Amino acid sequence: MKKEPGLLYRVVLIFGDVVAIILSFSFAYYYRVHIDPRPYFFDSSLLEFALSALTLVPIWILILASLGLYSRRVLGRRILTGWRLLIGSIIAMMAIISYDFFFSAFPGHNSLFPVKIIAVYAAIFCYLALIIERFIIGLGRIFFLRHNMGALRTVVVGNSDNTRQLLAGVTPDTGFKLVGVVTKEKYIPEGNKTRVYENIELAIKRLKPDAIIYTGATDIERMNKLAIDSHALFYYSPREDSIITLSRDVDFLAATPIIRIKTTPLSGGAIVYKRFVDIVLSLIGTIIALPIMIIIFIIQKIIDPRAPAIYKDTRLTKFNCEFQLFKFRSIKPEYSGLTPEEAFEKMGRPELSEKYRKQGDYLKNDPRYTKFGRFLRRSSLDELPQLFNVLKGDISLVGPRALQPAELKNYGDRGIILSVKSGVTGLAQVSGRRNISFNERRAFDVYYVQNWTPAMDIQIIFRTIASVLGHEGAK
């Protein structure tokens, strides 16, 4: 899952569509004013008209999206794309004229289309511009794919006719680049130079693929787990007699049916949406919390001028990537940077390690913390610097708990948990804070990853605010 197939392409398409729509509106205005010989009666300038039209672009984009024009299944079919663009342009024109008519009835709101023929011209020009723009972007995408930029490095595993078809027909133009295969010799087409591996584990270790396509009939669950643990996309190629029952979920690659089995719904456009929300909310939160952070920083320096006020800890986030987590220091300087076991050993109380882990990584009156540090943890104010981690893109506002590398071995579902960005807060934190067990917290994290929705994130954010205001922070 290091690459989301077609995500960048779809983002570029949206940007290209926005530009094409704005230029089409501007040209429609220019055509009516300077080329159409019939008289007109309005005094809006081209710049004013273009800026006004800009506010209507989201309507057009939403209509195109609702018609599936950013879906992978539609993008690869030119005739279907052209037909839906035509329908979308007509619907968008009607929607914008209705919008303009409704709001122009309010005092102080001038009509965007005092001459309605401009809207008709805009629809025609938009359709043509979108066709041309998408054709150009499509050519650019093929160019980059053929030069090994953006294609998913793919391993095919299995022994079936589908294996042979994939090896014979998949090219970088499809967005997949075959780098290895695990199969018997009889399923390898003559002349195929894809490197053959003895087993999937060896192929993953050597190639670190972006995607795994499995063409076998059994052992699907094990293959999916291997893909999850290696952070690769997993596709299953079903037998032909299974296609009818799975027809709604089947895609085709080189005329071969494949089904993507997702670890999490947080993929594709959802990733863009979540990142946008993270940036907006963390920026607002940083502005609001900055005075508080400055005060805490000053107090930390007054209490202990030599010790750092900000504590940096190496944690893990999406795809097992390490990053430096920022928090206000709440631990005594001599134990800073040590694992709980190392800290308890250093203070001569190793027996506390077992008690700490049994109680869900919690000790009442933990001797590692300063008095001011306990206040920061109870109020959750020690977490405020993590807003900078969110702005940097290290983590998200909502997600599984950011793990320490030393903790990773304790989590059997680490592949699932690390398939999304870690979070400042999460489902586990608002479902009992320190009152739930270690295993329960892991179960909540896995549930979040596999059942993510925008509504769930919003709910967790509000529940986190309520917990902090109710003094339910870490004790």
Side-chain angles (χ1 to χ4, degrees):
M1 289 172 288
K2 296 171 186 175
K3 291 181 182 178
E4 184 63 32
L7 177 59
L8 179 60
Y9 177 44
R10 291 195 291 272
V11 171
V12 172
L13 271 183
I14 293 173
F15 177 77
D17 288 350
V18 169
V19 173
I21 292 168
I22 294 172
L23 290 177
S24 297
F25 270 92
S26 301
F27 187 70
Y29 175 94
Y30 180 86
Y31 184 87
R32 178 64 187 90
V33 173
H34 298 284
I35 299 177
D36 192 328
R38 290 172 295 176
Y40 62 89
F41 302 96
F42 58 93
D43 57 1
S44 176
S45 69
L46 176 58
L47 180 60
E48 291 173 339
F49 179 82
L51 291 175
S52 298
L54 182 61
T55 62
L56 302 178
V57 169
I59 297 176
W60 210 292
I61 296 297
L62 286 173
I63 290 172
L64 296 182
S66 67
L67 291 171
L69 283 160
Y70 303 108
S71 166
R72 186 175 183 273
R73 294 182 182 180
V74 175
L75 290 176
R77 302 165 68 180
R78 293 182 181 177
I79 295 177
L80 180 59
T81 297
W83 176 244
R84 291 196 180 185
L85 282 174
L86 177 61
I87 295 173
S89 297
I90 294 172
I91 294 174
M93 177 193 67
M94 296 171 63
I96 288 173
I97 289 177
S98 301
Y99 171 91
D100 184 52
F101 175 80
F102 176 77
F103 280 96
S104 62
F106 289 92
H109 291 269
N110 296 322
S111 174
L112 178 62
F113 299 111
V115 179
K116 302 305 179 197
I117 193 64
I118 293 180
V120 178
Y121 289 158
I124 296 171
F125 295 146
C126 269
Y127 173 68
L128 296 175
L130 289 170
I131 290 286
I132 296 170
E133 164 254 323
R134 283 171 169 252
F135 177 73
I136 294 172
I137 291 176
L139 289 179
R141 177 174 182 263
I142 291 174
F143 172 82
F144 284 112
L145 289 174
R146 287 180 178 176
H147 287 79
N148 298 321
M149 290 182 282
L152 296 172
R153 301 177 70 258
T154 305
V155 172
V156 174
V157 186
N159 301 292
S160 70
D161 291 336
N162 285 356
T163 310
R164 184 184 294 107
Q165 286 181 241
L166 288 168
L167 293 177
V170 174
T171 64
D173 288 9
T174 62
F176 295 82
K177 179 187 176 183
L178 290 174
V179 294
V181 59
V182 181
T183 189
K184 295 179 180 178
E185 187 176 348
K186 67 177 182 178
Y187 293 107
I188 302 176
E190 187 176 346
N192 189 279
K193 297 181 180 180
T194 306
R195 187 168 180 179
V196 181
Y197 290 83
E198 295 180 5
N199 55 66
I200 181 60
E201 289 85 358
L202 180 60
I204 290 173
K205 182 179 179 180
R206 295 276 179 84
L207 299 172
K208 293 181 172 52
D210 300 312
I212 295 171
I213 302 178
Y214 182 57
T215 62
T218 60
D219 216 16
I220 298 173
E221 189 172 330
R222 184 177 77 87
M223 291 295 171
N224 185 33
K225 188 176 187 308
L226 286 170
I228 291 172
D229 289 342
S230 60
H231 307 299
L233 299 168
F234 182 68
Y235 293 87
Y236 166 57
S237 182
R239 303 186 310 273
E240 290 186 6
D241 57 2
S242 303
I243 295 177
I244 295 176
T245 59
L246 298 169
S247 58
R248 290 186 178 181
D249 300 315
V250 174
D251 201 352
F252 286 86
L253 176 62
T256 305
I258 61 170
I259 301 169
R260 179 180 170 186
I261 300 178
K262 295 184 179 181
T263 306
T264 174
L266 187 51
S267 60
I271 295 175
V272 178
Y273 159 80
K274 188 172 173 66
R275 180 60 184 147
F276 174 77
V277 173
D278 280 343
I279 291 172
V280 172
L281 294 185
S282 61
L283 190 58
I284 294 172
T286 301
I287 294 171
I288 294 173
L290 191 57
I292 300 173
M293 287 193 275
I294 292 173
I295 292 171
I296 293 173
F297 184 88
I298 293 171
I299 293 173
Q300 290 274 49
K301 284 300 181 181
I302 292 173
I303 294 173
D304 195 340
R306 295 184 179 182
I310 301 293
Y311 168 66
K312 297 179 183 179
D313 190 27
T314 300
R315 298 291 181 95
L316 297 172
T317 186
K318 189 176 182 180
F319 304 148
N320 204 31
C321 294
E322 293 187 357
F323 73 100
Q324 294 297 307
L325 182 77
F326 304 139
K327 297 180 74 172
F328 280 119
R329 182 178 56 82
S330 56
I331 292 179
K332 296 173 182 177
E334 59 267 30
Y335 305 127
S336 184
L338 301 179
T339 65
E341 288 77 10
E342 291 170 341
F344 294 136
E345 182 71 33
K346 184 176 180 179
M347 70 176 65
R349 303 181 65 183
E351 72 280 1
L352 294 179
S353 297
E354 185 178 355
K355 186 177 180 182
Y356 175 80
R357 293 302 183 189
K358 280 185 177 180
Q359 295 181 177
D361 296 354
Y362 166 70
L363 275 180
K364 186 176 181 180
N365 298 320
D366 193 319
R368 294 175 300 155
Y369 295 104
T370 65
K371 291 182 178 180
F372 187 59
R374 289 196 184 97
F375 163 74
L376 291 177
R377 286 175 61 79
R378 281 196 302 270
S379 60
S380 295
L381 291 174
D382 62 324
E383 311 279 356
L384 289 178
Q386 291 182 48
L387 291 171
F388 295 108
N389 285 118
V390 178
L391 286 172
K392 284 179 59 184
D394 296 329
I395 58 176
S396 179
L397 281 174
V398 182
R401 175 176 171 264
L403 304 171
Q404 294 177 331
E407 295 176 306
L408 188 61
K409 62 181 182 294
N410 297 323
Y411 302 136
D413 295 314
R414 60 184 179 273
I416 296 176
I417 293 170
L418 293 175
S419 63
V420 302
K421 286 184 180 180
S422 302
V424 177
T425 185
L427 186 59
Q429 289 92 318
V430 299
S431 300
R433 305 289 278 181
R434 295 294 184 179
N435 299 319
I436 60 176
S437 69
F438 173 89
N439 290 331
E440 286 174 324
R441 291 209 307 274
R442 295 303 95 212
F444 278 121
D445 282 341
V446 171
Y447 179 86
Y448 172 83
V449 172
Q450 295 181 328
N451 297 275
W452 175 87
T453 63
M456 183 184 292
D457 272 2
I458 294 171
Q459 185 181 33
I460 289 172
I461 289 172
F462 279 110
R463 288 175 65 184
T464 300
I465 295 171
S467 295
V468 171
L469 295 178
H471 303 290
E472 297 176 21
K475 299 176 183 178

